[in-house]
């Protein structure tokens, strides 16, 4: 994204400014504008994100347990010891962390992928106006309006083995199987988690994609139609093509958020999720914060952050190449 | 048009910011006026836990007592009721920042952990005498305040114990007597279990981590052992601890008197709802469950309570002492007034009133558990369990780690048992070994 | 605008499952909200055995729902207004200008998305408390303002990022056309870019509002009984005595109604921007 604006600015803005009317004053003001615009945002970011993050990283290098909570400046500096514990794969804690990592990755890819697919499909299908479109769009956004806690609890009821709607339907109505399966424990728990996460997330993807799609001028579709493109080709070249910037950012952010998902597994499975659905942030929370070992928790969080930085860097590289081709 | 909208938005934002900046802060202002009321005029801040049926219910119960206290001493108490989901975080934040209330309730399983933080006032010497001394309380309840030899930083307020609830109608129909040994319990449960009809001998929230820890602790002690050595070090991989897990797990895994679906129950309420449904024979639950059952439509006339039995020949441990304690923050500027308040809250008169309102047991000696006065048998039973069958939870700073690692491990095993795996003793040992290894990282 | 048959089929293949997927849990929520507590966790039945509207009455007393609702409205609206205003300026700069440090800013914005919230909590809390101590009165801790400021930090990065992407999609020719006419950069922003970016602004405003509306972790720390918000308030239906599931569902439905109505109204504004025709 930064590259596009770089290119555009270089070609479009600079010559314009130089040839425009007004002298030195205009030029200075023009140069100062971006900084003025950004300053409020930076101030907030510094105070509320950057400083706590730095403190958080510092916490990972000290032995911050219940014993030092009240005088945390005196907690002993232990360098990378917390990290060593977290990455020690011979210890069950390290093993659990590694397993969690893999599971969370799979969960994230699945959830984001399916949510995006649903959002894109619904946006395409609801792009052109027809009677009831407004109602349908609102209907699809309702899960986004409902407090997450209530939504997840509802799914918990649905997934109950004996009293839930899903088994009632599968066993008593469809007669798919005689023995009611478990959805909240065992291997199925992973899929239950994905289903609930998608249910909550796809309306948001739908909203963002819808907004982006509305900015595509209608003329482009008409022009493509005149050129002989059918509906599918129009979608592929016009819609998807022009949505690339929005989609790219949306996918990255959804990935980052989903990877850090905490509420959904915590409310669905309680303090000890089943092994198949043991997501990373829950593991971090349970093996450190709950046990009052904040230094260890901070270290594991830093490791998480490093991985996500890697993901973002890879994304930036891919994005840059995509833009160069486009 | 857009500018107008933005200007409007900015004005709204500015106004809201200005409005929200004016929030009251509590400032202590001790100005003694009366010799009888040396701390009159002081304002205390008190964080109470949610013990009643709603946050408002807690205010309804506590406010009259706080008004009474103000009349007696001239000390005003500002009350905040905190939901349990936030309590640990809020207490932690207060301890870290040095900013918070003067007095706070804590769950007594956290007592020793919080003791080690240094954030709370130790009750020793004069301060201990100021609240009435240790002799005021039942010995068993007093032991929940911390390890021997260490000054306690919390005082017992409301006590709860586990009991075995049993469905009177089902027992009568099957001609069964309430069990006095674990073997009798298993026999009764097997008699009552009819999976096809949906009747089960026993229910338990098998997916709940803290209950799993509680039960494992009780059963391990029945077998004569403990998860911790005398020095407070974790020692999980012992026969007694394995037995502690085995006895609980077998209900589902071996005797099959517990519905495998119970492995999904991540909070006690789900098990309570089941028991109230009338198709369950027995339920191990705490005192407060009486109120919960009532809210689910089951009256004390429909069930009886006996101590949780032990296997023949084992130690007669029926429960550990659960409940809520009260603490004073070390950073409080009104320590003397706070001590007065704690003394008031644990006075025999107040102990009876509050425990009656909450359906819990008074930890203060010779105070009747009037919450149950309508059901004298029940009242006697709870008092008996508290006095004779209950032991304190291990008073070690790593209790929460024990809960997360062993409790969590037991829940994991239940999940496996429910989905059909057989759990061998080696599996249990492996789980306990893993839990122990995780403790070392803490 | 002729739709091929395959496209029409595609429409149904997409819509029907999505409609079912969305509505079935909603149905469960609605029926749970009108059942007596014992039935909520009991054996499932498509039609509730017993219907009662008592939960809808009780929700206002079990928990001070009205107060929490008001608190949440205040906090979410303010955070959204501030977030959108700041984001508009910042994303305009990001989209239209090149300046040194912009890469760094983008990096910082992105990095904030990578830290688990739990870790922010303690340091942020300490910062707020110390600011209050320095100022001498309760300015941030457990006030509306403290929560608003906290939420701004969540919503700003995404808002700026997304809005900048939307703005990237608005052809620069529009700005230039306006500038040639003699307006300043700010004028170009307000007169030309913003109207064209309206769908993006709406989307970002909705996101900011909903994030503040549903945030749990920080609200649990930064509020007291006077400033508590809905997301925490809902958890308070889980009391010591019981969890009032039917009331949780009832309360959730009640507080969602205004939001859904809002969505319905906003439909109108999620329409094609004014880019078309402007360049000509």
């Amino acid at each position: 994204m930064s590259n596009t604006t770089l290119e555009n600015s270089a070609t479009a803005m600079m010559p314009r400014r130089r040839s425009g009317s007004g002298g030195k004053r205009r030029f200075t003001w023009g140069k100062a504008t971006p900084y003025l615009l950004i300053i409020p945002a930076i101030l907030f970011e510094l105070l509320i994100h950057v400083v706590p993050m730095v403190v958080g990283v510092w916490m990972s290098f000290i032995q911050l347990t219940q014993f030092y909570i009240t005088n945390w400046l005196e907690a002993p500096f232990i360098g990378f010891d917390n990290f060593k514990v977290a990455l020690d794969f011979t210890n069950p804690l390290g093993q659990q962390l590694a397993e969690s990592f893999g599971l969370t990755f799979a969960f994230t890819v699945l959830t984001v992928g399916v949510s995006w697919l649903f959002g894109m499909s619904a946006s395409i299908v609801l792009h052109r106006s027809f009677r009831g479109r407004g109602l349908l769009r609102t209907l699809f956004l309702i899960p986004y309006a409902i407090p997450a806690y209530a939504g997840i609890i509802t799914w918990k009821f649905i997934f109950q083995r004996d009293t839930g709607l899903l088994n009632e339907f599968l066993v008593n109505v469809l007669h798919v199987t005689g023995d009611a399966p478990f959805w909240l424990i065992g291997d199925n728990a992973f899929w239950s988690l994905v289903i609930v996460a998608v249910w909550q997330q796809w309306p948001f993807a739908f909203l963002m994609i819808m907004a982006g799609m509305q900015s595509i001028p209608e003329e482009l579709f008409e022009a493509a139609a005149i050129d002989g493109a059918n509906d599918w080709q129009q979608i592929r070249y016009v819609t998807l093509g022009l949505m690339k910037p929005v989609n790219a950012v949306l996918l990255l952010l959804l990935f980052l958020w989903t990877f850090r998902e905490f509420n959904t597994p915590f409310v669905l499975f309680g303090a000890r999720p089943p092994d198949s659905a043991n997501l990373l942030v829950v593991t971090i929370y349970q093996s450190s914060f709950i046990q009052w070992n904040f230094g260890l928790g901070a270290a594991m969080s830093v490791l998480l952050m490093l991985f996500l930085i890697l993901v973002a860097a890879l994304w930036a590289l891919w994005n840059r190449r995509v833009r160069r081709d486009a | 048009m857009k500018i107008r909208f933005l200007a409007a938005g900015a004005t709204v934002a500015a106004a809201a910011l200005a409005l929200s900046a004016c929030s009251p802060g509590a400032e202590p202002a001790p100005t003694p006026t009366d010799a009888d009321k040396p701390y009159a005029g002081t304002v205390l801040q008190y964080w109470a836990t949610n013990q009643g049926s709603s946050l408002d219910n807690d205010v309804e119960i506590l406010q009259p007592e706080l008004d009474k206290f103000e009349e007696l001493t001239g000390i005003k108490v500002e009350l905040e009721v905190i939901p349990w989901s936030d309590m640990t975080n809020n207490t932690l934040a207060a301890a870290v920042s040095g900013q918070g209330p003067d007095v706070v309730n804590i769950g007594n399983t956290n007592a020793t952990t919080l003791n080690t933080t240094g954030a709370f006032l130790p009750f020793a010497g004069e301060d201990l005498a100021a609240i009435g001394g240790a002799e005021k309380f039942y010995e068993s309840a007093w032991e929940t305040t911390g390890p021997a030899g260490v000054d306690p930083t919390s005082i017992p307020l409301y006590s709860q114990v586990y009991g075995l609830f049993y469905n009177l109608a089902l027992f009568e129909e099957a001609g069964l007597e309430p069990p006095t040994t674990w073997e009798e319990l298993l026999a009764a449960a097997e008699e009552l279990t009819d999976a096809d009809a949906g009747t089960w001998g026993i229910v338990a929230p098998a997916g709940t981590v803290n209950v799993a820890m509680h039960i494992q602790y009780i059963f391990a002690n029945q077998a004569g052992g403990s998860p911790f050595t005398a020095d407070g070090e974790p020692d999980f991989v012992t026969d007694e601890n394995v037995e502690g897990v085995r006895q609980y797990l077998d209900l589902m895994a071996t005797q099959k008197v517990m519905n495998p679906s119970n492995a999904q129950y991540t909070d006690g309420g789900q098990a309570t709802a089941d028991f109230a449904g009338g198709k369950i024979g027995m339920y191990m639950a705490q005192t407060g469950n009486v109120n919960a059952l009532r809210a689910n439509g089951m009256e004390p006339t429909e069930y009886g309570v006996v101590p949780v039995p032990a296997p023949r020949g084992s130690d007669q441990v029926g429960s550990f002492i659960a409940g809520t304690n009260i603490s004073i923050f070390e950073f409080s500027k009104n320590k003397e007034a706070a001590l007065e308040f704690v003394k008031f809250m644990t006075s025999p008169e107040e102990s009876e009133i509050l425990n009656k309102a909450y359906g819990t047991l008074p930890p203060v000696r010779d105070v009747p558990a009037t919450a149950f006065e309508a059901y004298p048998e029940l009242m006697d039973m709870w008092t008996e369990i508290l006095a004779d069958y209950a032991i304190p939870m291990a008073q070690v700073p790593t209790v929460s780690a024990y809960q997360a690692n062993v409790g969590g491990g037991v829940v994991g095993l239940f999940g496996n048992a429910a989905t059909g795996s057989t759990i061998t003793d080696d599996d249990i040992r492996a789980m306990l070994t893993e839990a122990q290894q995780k403790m070392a990282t803490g | 605008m002729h739709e091929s048959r395959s496209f029409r089929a595609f429409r149904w293949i997409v819509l029907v499952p999505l409609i079912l997927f969305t509505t079935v849990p909603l149905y469960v929520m609605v029926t749970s909200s009108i059942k007596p507590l014992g039935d909520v966790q009991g054996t499932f039945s498509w039609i509730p055995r017993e219907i009662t509207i008592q939960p809808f009455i009780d929700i206002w007393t079990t928990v001070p729902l009205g107060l929490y609702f008001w608190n949440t409205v205040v906090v979410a609206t303010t955070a959204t207004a501030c977030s959108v205003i700041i984001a508009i300026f910042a994303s305009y700069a990001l989209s239209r200008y090149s300046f040194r440090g912009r890469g760094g800013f983008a990096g910082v914005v992105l990095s904030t998305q990578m830290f688990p919230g739990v870790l922010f909590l303690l340091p942020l809390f300490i910062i707020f408390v110390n600011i209050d101590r320095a100022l001498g009165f309760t300015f941030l801790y457990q006030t509306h303002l403290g929560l608003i400021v906290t939420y701004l930090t969540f919503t700003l990065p995404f808002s700026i990022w997304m809005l900048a992407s939307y703005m990237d999609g608005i052809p620069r020719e529009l700005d230039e056309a306006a500038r040639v006419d003699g307006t300043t950069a700010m004028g170009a922003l307000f007169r030309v870019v913003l109207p064209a970016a309206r769908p993006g602004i709406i989307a970002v405003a909705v996101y900011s509002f909903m994030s503040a509306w549903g945030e749990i972790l920080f609200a649990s720390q930064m509020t007291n009984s006077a400033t508590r918000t809905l997301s925490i308030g809902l958890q308070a239906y889980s009391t010591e005595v019981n969890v009032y599931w039917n009331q949780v569902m009832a309360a959730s439905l009640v507080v969602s109604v205004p939001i859904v109505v809002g969505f319905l109204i906003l439909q109108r504004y999620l329409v094609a921007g004014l880019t078309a025709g402007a360049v000509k």
Side-chain angles (χ1 to χ4, degrees):
Chain A
M1 192 185 90
S2 12
N3 259 8
T4 310
T5 43
L6 189 69
E7 288 161 355
N8 283 351
S9 307
T11 51
M13 296 311 295
M14 304 288 241
R16 203 54 57 168
R17 233 189 282 145
R18 261 186 235 131
S19 65
S21 55
K24 224 174 171 176
R25 204 151 155 252
R26 217 356 173 18
F27 192 62
T28 321
W29 174 250
K31 203 174 179 190
T33 311
Y35 292 103
L36 281 176
L37 296 175
I38 292 282
I39 279 179
I42 289 194
L43 274 178
F44 271 125
E45 282 303 310
L46 271 176
L47 182 65
I48 284 160
H49 259 148
V50 176
V51 172
M53 253 168 61
V54 168
V55 173
V57 172
W58 169 70
M59 267 165 64
S60 67
F61 292 112
I62 59 173
Q63 191 176 356
L64 190 60
T65 60
Q66 69 224 41
F67 300 97
Y68 294 102
I69 273 298
T70 40
N71 43 353
W72 36 286
L73 291 168
E74 288 166 36
F77 181 80
I78 52 172
F80 286 102
D81 278 357
N82 281 328
F83 290 94
K84 285 200 201 121
V85 166
L87 292 171
D88 179 7
F89 298 124
T90 57
N91 182 292
L93 181 66
Q95 282 165 10
Q96 199 174 7
L97 208 60
E99 272 170 32
S100 270
F101 177 84
L103 277 171
T104 310
F105 189 79
F107 165 73
T108 305
V109 169
L110 266 172
T111 303
V112 173
V114 173
S115 298
W116 182 84
L117 204 62
F118 283 3
M120 183 56 92
S121 309
S123 289
I124 289 174
V125 155
L126 295 180
H127 185 64
R128 303 214 183 98
S129 185
F130 62 89
R131 255 184 72 187
R133 178 179 76 155
L135 277 171
L136 269 180
R137 277 170 154 185
T138 312
L139 174 71
F140 287 153
L141 287 177
I142 291 182
Y144 188 42
I146 304 266
Y149 178 63
I152 304 170
I153 292 288
T154 306
W155 276 103
K156 195 168 171 174
F157 288 163
I158 293 176
F159 282 136
Q160 286 286 330
R161 180 177 175 249
D162 293 335
T163 58
L165 185 154
L166 185 62
N167 277 350
E168 170 74 21
F169 188 66
L170 285 177
V171 175
N172 292 346
V173 175
L174 285 186
H175 297 289
V176 163
T177 162
D179 194 25
F182 277 105
W183 297 102
L184 293 173
I185 57 178
D187 291 333
N188 288 339
F190 180 78
W191 301 106
S192 310
L193 189 60
V194 173
I195 291 173
V196 180
V198 167
W199 187 81
Q200 292 180 83
Q201 194 176 87
W202 90 262
F204 176 72
F206 173 56
L207 177 67
M208 291 295 140
I209 294 173
M210 234 196 332
M213 223 179 254
Q214 296 299 347
S215 300
I216 302 175
E218 203 52 46
E219 289 80 34
L220 290 173
F221 287 109
E222 287 167 16
I226 289 171
D227 281 348
N230 63 23
D231 286 328
W232 303 107
Q233 284 164 328
Q234 283 179 40
I235 292 171
R236 193 163 152 212
Y237 294 111
V238 178
T239 313
L240 284 176
L242 286 171
M243 291 284 299
K244 264 210 183 105
V246 170
N247 275 338
V249 178
L250 181 66
L251 283 172
L252 175 69
L253 285 170
L254 284 179
F255 185 93
L256 296 178
W257 292 342
T258 310
F259 203 80
R260 296 180 296 147
E261 183 64 37
F262 181 79
N263 281 333
T264 307
F266 196 68
V267 176
L268 205 56
F269 302 122
R272 207 278 189 188
D275 290 334
S276 63
N278 199 2
L279 293 193
L280 196 54
V281 182
V282 181
T283 308
I284 292 178
Y285 186 65
Q286 289 299 111
S287 23
S288 56
F289 293 111
I290 279 282
Q291 303 182 27
W292 296 72
N293 191 345
F294 304 101
L296 183 60
M300 295 198 254
S301 304
V302 169
L303 289 173
L304 171 63
M305 183 177 78
L306 290 174
F307 172 70
L308 291 179
I309 289 178
L310 181 66
V311 168
L314 289 173
W315 173 89
L317 281 173
W318 168 78
N319 204 30
R320 193 179 297 182
R321 202 170 330 136
V322 156
R323 293 197 171 268
R324 231 178 271 146
D325 295 341
Chain B
M1 229 296 252
K2 216 52 187 198
I3 300 177
R4 233 183 284 148
F5 168 72
L6 279 176
T11 323
V12 165
L17 282 171
L19 270 172
S20 55
C22 310
S23 277
E27 294 290 336
T31 45
T33 50
D34 203 20
D36 271 349
K37 306 181 183 179
Y39 309 108
T42 320
V43 179
L44 287 177
Q45 284 206 312
Y46 173 40
W47 281 0
T49 44
N50 164 231
Q51 306 284 146
S53 60
S54 72
L55 301 179
D56 264 0
N57 181 235
D58 279 292
V59 176
E60 268 168 30
I61 292 172
L62 287 170
Q63 198 56 53
E65 311 310 312
L66 300 180
D67 294 336
K68 198 192 293 178
F69 181 65
E70 191 176 349
E71 253 203 64
L72 279 173
T73 62
I75 303 173
K76 182 165 168 55
V77 179
E78 283 178 0
L79 173 67
E80 273 282 334
V81 183
I82 317 269
W84 280 107
S85 52
D86 297 340
M87 202 49 180
T88 316
N89 276 349
N90 286 20
T91 311
L92 171 68
V96 169
S97 63
Q99 169 136 343
D102 298 283
V103 183
V104 65
N105 283 4
I106 62 169
N108 72 358
T109 18
N110 280 334
T112 313
T113 308
L114 291 172
N115 184 311
T116 57
T117 62
F120 298 95
L121 178 73
F123 291 95
E126 269 180 19
D127 294 333
L128 185 56
I131 61 130
E135 311 75 40
K136 197 165 118 176
F137 304 92
Y138 287 119
E139 201 177 310
S140 51
W142 184 254
E143 282 175 0
T144 68
T145 58
V150 175
D151 291 332
T153 50
S154 64
I155 305 292
L157 197 57
Y158 317 120
S159 293
Q160 297 205 43
V161 290
Y162 271 88
L164 181 72
F165 289 70
Y166 64 96
N167 186 317
L168 287 171
L170 287 178
F171 265 64
E172 209 177 290
E173 210 181 293
L176 294 165
E177 290 291 314
T180 55
T181 67
W182 189 256
E183 288 78 10
E184 281 176 28
L185 183 146
L186 290 179
E190 272 167 29
E191 181 73 29
L192 291 171
T193 302
D194 182 3
D196 298 320
T199 330
W200 295 90
I202 194 163
V203 69
T208 311
V209 171
N210 62 345
V211 172
M213 181 271 264
H214 297 166
I215 306 279
Q216 192 274 337
Y217 183 73
I218 295 171
F219 289 168
N221 273 278
Q222 282 181 354
S226 169
F228 295 92
T229 63
D231 302 320
E233 290 305 312
D235 183 22
F236 298 155
V237 199
T238 63
D239 289 337
E240 293 84 7
N241 280 306
V242 172
E243 187 54 38
V245 177
R246 183 96 256 169
Q247 198 174 321
Y248 187 31
L249 202 59
D250 274 352
L251 292 169
M252 183 189 290
T254 310
Q255 285 97 24
K256 304 215 191 282
V257 291
M258 191 195 291
N259 189 344
S261 296
N262 288 174
Q264 299 169 113
Y265 290 176
T266 52
D267 68 82
Q270 291 171 284
T272 305
D274 265 8
F275 185 72
K279 297 177 86 175
I280 309 280
M282 294 175 274
Y283 178 29
M284 295 183 285
Q286 292 188 21
T287 319
N289 211 47
V290 171
N291 286 344
L293 283 170
R294 192 175 281 132
N296 272 290
M298 196 180 205
E299 293 296 320
T301 46
E302 297 171 58
Y303 55 81
V305 176
V306 289
V308 173
R312 225 172 282 129
S314 300
D315 295 347
Q316 289 298 308
V317 176
S319 175
F320 79 97
I321 298 164
T324 308
N325 291 6
I326 190 167
S327 294
I328 301 176
F329 272 108
E330 180 70 48
F331 56 70
S332 166
K333 297 189 182 69
N334 308 304
K335 291 206 177 90
E336 294 77 20
L339 285 167
E340 277 293 313
F341 182 58
V342 170
K343 177 173 168 191
F344 172 75
M345 292 290 277
T346 54
S347 62
E349 188 188 321
E350 286 313 305
S351 193
E352 185 179 338
I353 295 173
L354 291 172
N355 279 289
K356 175 177 181 174
Y358 287 133
T360 47
L361 306 172
V364 180
R365 272 183 209 279
D366 304 322
V367 174
T370 36
F372 307 100
E373 60 187 348
Y375 308 96
E377 271 177 32
L378 204 54
M379 186 162 125
D380 290 338
M381 179 56 68
W382 288 126
T383 319
E384 193 185 327
I385 298 178
L386 177 62
D388 300 333
Y389 289 89
I391 56 166
M393 173 56 68
Q395 298 299 313
V396 292
T398 48
V399 159
S400 39
Y402 161 56
Q403 178 170 299
N405 295 327
V406 173
V410 172
V411 166
L413 288 176
F414 265 114
N416 294 343
T419 47
S421 322
T422 8
I423 315 288
T424 62
D425 275 2
D426 284 337
D427 293 327
I428 299 179
R429 234 170 250 278
M431 179 278 277
L432 287 169
T433 314
E434 224 183 84
Q436 175 111 4
Q437 285 175 325
K438 286 190 197 164
M439 297 292 282
T441 63
Chain C
M1 304 262 197
H2 294 290
E3 290 177 352
S4 63
R5 209 184 272 152
S6 65
F7 186 77
R8 255 176 293 180
F10 177 68
R11 176 177 273 148
W12 287 115
I13 293 175
V14 167
L15 286 181
V16 170
L18 283 179
I19 292 175
L20 281 174
F21 186 46
T22 306
T23 46
V24 166
L26 293 179
Y27 176 74
V28 174
M29 277 187 78
V30 169
T31 51
S32 296
S33 69
I34 50 176
K35 285 183 183 165
L37 184 60
D39 282 358
V40 176
Q41 294 190 88
T43 326
F44 179 79
S45 47
W46 293 98
I47 315 288
R49 261 186 299 264
E50 198 185 316
I51 297 188
T52 163
I53 57 160
Q54 190 63 31
F56 284 93
I57 302 171
D58 290 338
I59 51 176
W60 304 99
T61 49
T62 310
V63 154
L65 194 63
L67 172 67
Y68 295 170
F69 192 80
W70 170 248
N71 286 335
T72 315
V73 166
V74 165
V75 168
T77 313
T78 317
T80 303
C82 297
S83 186
V84 168
I85 293 170
I86 297 176
I88 285 175
F89 289 121
S91 56
Y92 185 58
L94 211 56
S95 170
R96 296 310 195 230
Y97 290 85
S98 78
F99 57 93
R100 248 189 332 159
R102 198 243 330 247
F105 174 72
V108 165
V109 163
L110 205 53
S111 69
T112 62
Q113 300 299 308
M114 303 183 197
F115 233 46
V118 202
L119 196 53
F120 270 117
L121 196 64
L122 221 45
L124 196 65
F125 184 82
I126 294 171
I127 290 176
F128 275 20
V129 162
N130 282 309
I131 290 181
D132 280 358
R133 260 210 217 121
L135 289 172
F137 66 97
T138 317
F139 189 62
L140 287 175
Y141 176 56
Q142 296 193 336
T143 62
H144 284 152
L145 181 63
L147 209 51
I148 290 169
V149 166
T150 310
Y151 289 159
L152 272 176
T153 71
F154 301 153
T155 58
L156 263 181
F158 177 79
S159 304
I160 295 174
W161 200 262
M162 274 311 256
L163 210 47
S165 319
Y166 287 132
M167 286 192 183
D168 281 350
I170 295 168
R172 220 164 284 272
E173 290 78 45
L174 285 179
D175 297 41
E176 287 154 28
R179 294 285 283 275
V180 159
D181 286 345
T183 53
T184 60
M186 286 298 102
L189 169 64
F190 288 122
R191 240 157 267 196
V192 173
V193 178
L194 281 191
R198 190 164 55 179
I201 293 176
I202 301 261
V204 155
V206 168
Y207 160 76
S208 300
F209 187 85
M210 293 306 295
S211 301
W213 187 260
E215 201 282 328
I216 295 179
L217 188 64
F218 288 83
S220 70
Q221 277 306 105
M222 306 293 183
T223 58
N224 56 21
S225 59
T227 57
R228 195 166 286 141
T229 57
L230 277 175
S231 44
I232 304 299
L234 278 180
Q235 292 178 344
Y237 286 105
S238 172
T239 67
E240 180 68 3
V241 171
N242 233 318
V243 185
Y244 297 102
W245 299 117
N246 49 359
Q247 291 184 39
V248 171
M249 296 300 156
S252 303
L253 291 170
V254 163
V255 306
S256 302
V257 164
I259 311 255
V260 175
V261 168
F263 282 169
L264 206 49
I265 295 175
L266 283 176
Q267 288 305 313
R268 258 191 294 148
Y269 296 101
L270 275 171
V271 293
L274 303 177
T275 51
V279 184
K280 298 170 193 162

